[in-house]
C-alpha cells in the first residue's frame, strides 16, 4: 500500500485532484515511477498502475508525461489522451512544464531532489505542473509557466494557487561556484567553505512572487528529499539513485 503527500492549499477545491507519491516497501523498486532510468519496464508500468488503483481516481483519466531535460519548454495539452504513460518514447520530448484545461487529464512530473511545482487557476479552471532543477530555476521555468497560462487561458497570476513540492533544500543542497554564479544575486544561500548551500525551493517561491502570485497562495512542502529518504528518492543522498517519485495534478470530470 502506498501513501501520498498532499498540499493543504489545494484542499478547498473539490474538483481538483492531486497527489505526490512516496516510497513503498511493498512495491518493487520502492515504488519508483520512472521509465527512463534503466529499471525493468514492466515493473515500473505495474507500479504506475498500482498507484492509480490506490488513488481510486476515475479509471477513465488520462496521464501525461514529459521527457524532462532541464529545459524551459512548456507544452499546452489540448487533447484528452494519455501521453507517454506506458512508453517513455511517447512522452513529450524536451519538455519540463505542462499546462492544460482538459478535464480528466492528469499532468505528472518525476523528481528525486529537483523541485516539482503544481499550479491551479480556480477562476479559469487551468492547471500546470513543472520541473525545476537548478537549470530550470536559472531559466525561470516557473515564471514562464505562469506566463504561458496567462497567454493561453487568461490566467491572472493573483488567482493562482501554487504548491512547491518535496525537493532538496538549503540544508542539503551543496553546489560549487559554477552553479552558484547563476544565483549570486539571490540571497537564498549560505556559504560553506568554498561551497554554497543553495535554496532552490525558495528561489522558485521568489520567482512566483515576481510573477505576481500572492504569497498566501503559495505553499512549500516541509520535506527535504535528502533528509527524508525514507519517504522520497534523493539523487544526491542516494548517490545517483534510479528511483523517481511523481507529483500529479488534474481537474476532475
Ligand atoms: Zn535536507
Amino acid at each position: 500500500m502506498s501513501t501520498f503527500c498532499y498540499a493543504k492549499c489545494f484542499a478547498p477545491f473539490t474538483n481538483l485532484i492531486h497527489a505526490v507519491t512516496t516510497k513503498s516497501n511493498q512495491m518493487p523498486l520502492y515504488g519508483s515511477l520512472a521509465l527512463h532510468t534503466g529499471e525493468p519496464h514492466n515493473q515500473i508500468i505495474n507500479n504506475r498502475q498500482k498507484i492509480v488503483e490506490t488513488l481510486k481516481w476515475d479509471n477513465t483519466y488520462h496521464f501525461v508525461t514529459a521527457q524532462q531535460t532541464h529545459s524551459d519548454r512548456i507544452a499546452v495539452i489540448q487533447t484528452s489522451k494519455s501521453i507517454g504513460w506506458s512508453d517513455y518514447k511517447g512522452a513529450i520530448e524536451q519538455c519540463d512544464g505542462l499546462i492544460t484545461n482538459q478535464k480528466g487529464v492528469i499532468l505528472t512530473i518525476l523528481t528525486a531532489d529537483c523541485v516539482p511545482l503544481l499550479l491551479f487557476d480556480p477562476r479559469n479552471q487551468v492547471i500546470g505542473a513543472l520541473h525545476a532543477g537548478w537549470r530550470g530555476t536559472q531559466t525561470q521555468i516557473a515564471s514562464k509557466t505562469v506566463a504561458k497560462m496567462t497567454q493561453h487561458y487568461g490566467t491572472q497570476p493573483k488567482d493562482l494557487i501554487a504548491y512547491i513540492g518535496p525537493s532538496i533544500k538549503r540544508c542539503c543542497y551543496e553546489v560549487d561556484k559554477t552553479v552558484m554564479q547563476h544565483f549570486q544575486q539571490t540571497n537564498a544561500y549560505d556559504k560553506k567553505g568554498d561551497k554554497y548551500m543553495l535554496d532552490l525551493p525558495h528561489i522558485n517561491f521568489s520567482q512566483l512572487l515576481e510573477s505576481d502570485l500572492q504569497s498566501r497562495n503559495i505553499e512549500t512542502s516541509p520535506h527535504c528529499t535528502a533528509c527524508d529518504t525514507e519517504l522520497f528518492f534523493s539523487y544526491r543522498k542516494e548517490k545517483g539513485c534510479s528511483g523517481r517519485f511523481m507529483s500529479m495534478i488534474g481537474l476532475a470530470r
Side-chain angles (χ1 to χ4, degrees), residues 172-209:
C172 297
Y173 189 46
E174 185 182 285
V175 299
D176 60 18
K177 257 200 176 123
T178 48
V179 171
M180 192 57 213
Q181 62 181 342
H182 303 292
F183 302 102
Q184 214 84 51
Q185 76 289 0
T186 72
N187 56 5
Y189 64 90
D190 300 307
K191 201 161 178 350
K192 185 185 164 197
D194 59 348
K195 303 280 189 186
Y196 302 86
M197 306 305 291
L198 188 60
D199 196 336
L200 283 187
H202 187 75
I203 298 170
N204 279 278
F205 176 87
S206 300
Q207 289 177 5
L208 292 175
L209 289 185

Side-chain angles (χ1 to χ4, degrees), residues 52-143:
V52 173
E53 284 163 20
T54 309
L55 284 165
K56 294 191 169 61
W57 289 343
D58 186 324
N59 61 12
T60 64
Y61 286 172
H62 300 292
F63 295 84
V64 174
T65 62
Q67 295 181 7
Q68 301 166 200
T69 56
H70 300 278
S71 72
D72 62 351
R73 200 169 86 82
I74 299 136
V76 184
I77 307 303
Q78 289 168 312
T79 53
S80 194
K81 61 172 188 186
S82 282
I83 301 176
W85 187 245
S86 54
D87 169 24
Y88 182 68
K89 285 197 188 119
I92 301 169
E93 288 178 26
Q94 284 199 2
C95 173
D96 291 81
L98 301 163
I99 63 173
T100 194
N101 65 352
Q102 298 283 319
K103 291 189 168 50
V105 170
I106 314 295
L107 307 179
T108 72
I109 291 292
L110 289 167
T111 54
D113 285 344
C114 288
V115 185
L117 281 99
L118 301 177
L119 301 168
F120 176 48
D121 168 1
R123 187 186 300 265
N124 295 293
Q125 293 290 301
V126 180
I127 51 172
L130 64 115
H131 158 244
W134 74 259
R135 287 188 187 83
T137 303
Q138 181 209 342
T139 53
Q140 308 207 3
I141 186 171
S143 298

Side-chain angles (χ1 to χ4, degrees), residues 27-29 31-36 39-53 65 84-89 246:
M27 288 166 79
L29 314 169
S32 176
L33 297 166
L35 287 172
H36 67 286
E39 306 203 285
H41 182 87
N42 57 345
Q43 290 193 8
I44 298 295
I45 295 297
N46 285 343
N47 284 352
R48 288 186 175 189
Q49 283 166 354
K50 191 99 163 254
I51 290 289
V52 173
E53 284 163 20
T65 62
W85 187 245
S86 54
D87 169 24
Y88 182 68
K89 285 197 188 119
M246 188 175 271

Side-chain angles (χ1 to χ4, degrees), residues 168-169 171-172 224-227:
I168 195 166
K169 288 179 180 268
C171 43
C172 297
C224 165
T225 44
C227 290

Side-chain angles (χ1 to χ4, degrees), residues 112-113 168 172-175 226 234-241:
D113 285 344
I168 195 166
C172 297
Y173 189 46
E174 185 182 285
V175 299
S234 171
Y235 192 83
R236 278 286 180 103
K237 192 63 171 281
E238 301 179 299
K239 309 221 179 319
C241 69

